[in-house]
């Protein structure tokens, strides 16, 4: 099985969530792999901008940072371009962004209710004002947001387990 995890990240924290997810899914798949598996499972973690197509993948996870209520353009473009392919395989979506006690349910994307996706998960975000552009700093100042990291590795690992469980159930249903 080949799994793609594609992320759109402006400052790297969403990419890091994708890497955590990829590591945990890889580890869990390796733990459950049978010795008679013809080919090993592979998990590719890539920037959404670097994904030309998803045809070679059996399952896909797409994640994006959310800025001013929207996914980044690279993630939106990937979903728009690959929509017909995405509808033919298991797909999970995630958004990253809320910090400082803002509610994850307030972070939505155009695909929050995508009927073709297994799930859309929202993870906390990370804010380091020293990495922001002048415009981003102005926005952060206007909304009175402070530095912080509300991402949870444990929550990402738990979600990886749910994805692996879903994939295993789907695979056993095909036999």
């Amino acid at each position: 099985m080949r799994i793609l995890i594609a992320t759109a990240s402006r400052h790297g924290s969403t990419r890091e969530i994708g890497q955590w997810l990829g590591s945990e899914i890889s580890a869990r798949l390796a733990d459950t792999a049978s010795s008679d598996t013809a080919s090993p499972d592979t998990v590719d973690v890539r920037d959404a901008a670097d994904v030309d197509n998803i045809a070679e993948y059996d399952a896909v996870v797409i994640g994006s940072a959310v800025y001013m209520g929207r996914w980044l353009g690279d993630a939106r473009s990937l979903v728009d371009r690959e929509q017909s392919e995405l509808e033919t395989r298991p797909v999970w979506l995630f958004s990253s962004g809320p910090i400082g006690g803002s509610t994850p349910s307030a972070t939505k994307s155009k695909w929050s209710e995508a009927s073709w996706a297994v799930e859309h998960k929202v993870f906390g975000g990370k804010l380091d004002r020293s990495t922001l552009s002048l415009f981003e700093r102005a926005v952060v100042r206007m909304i009175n947001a402070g530095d912080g990291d509300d991402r949870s590795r444990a929550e990402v690992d738990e979600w990886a387990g749910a994805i692996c469980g879903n994939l295993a159930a789907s695979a056993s249903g095909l036999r």
Side-chain angles (χ1 to χ4, degrees):
M1 174 173 290
R2 293 206 59 194
I3 301 167
L4 170 66
I5 300 173
T7 62
S9 184
R10 189 171 288 163
H11 299 288
S13 61
T14 302
R15 179 181 304 109
E16 191 172 23
I17 291 172
Q19 292 165 340
W20 293 345
L21 193 58
S23 294
E24 186 65 19
I25 289 173
S26 292
R28 287 176 186 248
L29 291 175
D31 287 345
T32 60
S34 64
S35 59
D36 60 10
T37 303
S39 61
D41 296 315
T42 59
V43 179
D44 294 335
V45 180
R46 301 175 58 195
D47 286 341
D50 297 335
V51 177
D52 294 325
N53 67 66
I54 64 163
E56 66 189 86
Y57 295 99
D58 302 302
V60 178
V61 178
I62 301 173
S64 179
V66 176
Y67 285 86
M68 293 187 239
R70 295 185 60 170
W71 267 21
L72 295 176
D74 290 338
R76 291 192 319 264
S77 294
L78 175 59
V79 172
D80 287 341
R81 186 179 66 249
E82 295 294 317
Q83 182 74 49
S84 61
E85 286 287 334
L86 290 168
E87 292 176 358
T88 66
R89 68 202 74 224
V91 176
W92 289 264
L93 306 172
F94 75 88
S95 296
S96 160
I99 56 164
S102 55
T103 58
S105 60
T107 302
K108 298 274 186 193
S109 76
K110 163 180 166 178
W111 300 281
S112 290
E113 303 300 324
S115 61
W116 45 267
V118 176
E119 181 180 11
H120 176 251
K121 180 80 171 166
V122 178
F123 294 108
K126 178 180 177 181
L127 177 62
D128 177 355
R129 287 182 283 183
S130 70
T131 65
L132 302 180
S133 70
L134 287 174
F135 174 74
E136 291 169 327
R137 287 181 196 178
V139 170
V140 166
R141 210 172 10 262
M142 284 183 349
I143 63 172
N144 200 26
D147 287 352
D149 189 349
D150 290 342
R151 299 170 303 156
S152 167
R153 178 73 188 253
E155 187 179 356
V156 172
D157 289 352
E158 182 179 322
W159 195 50
I163 290 171
C164 289
N166 187 293
L167 290 172
S170 296
S172 66
L174 295 174
R175 293 182 190 155

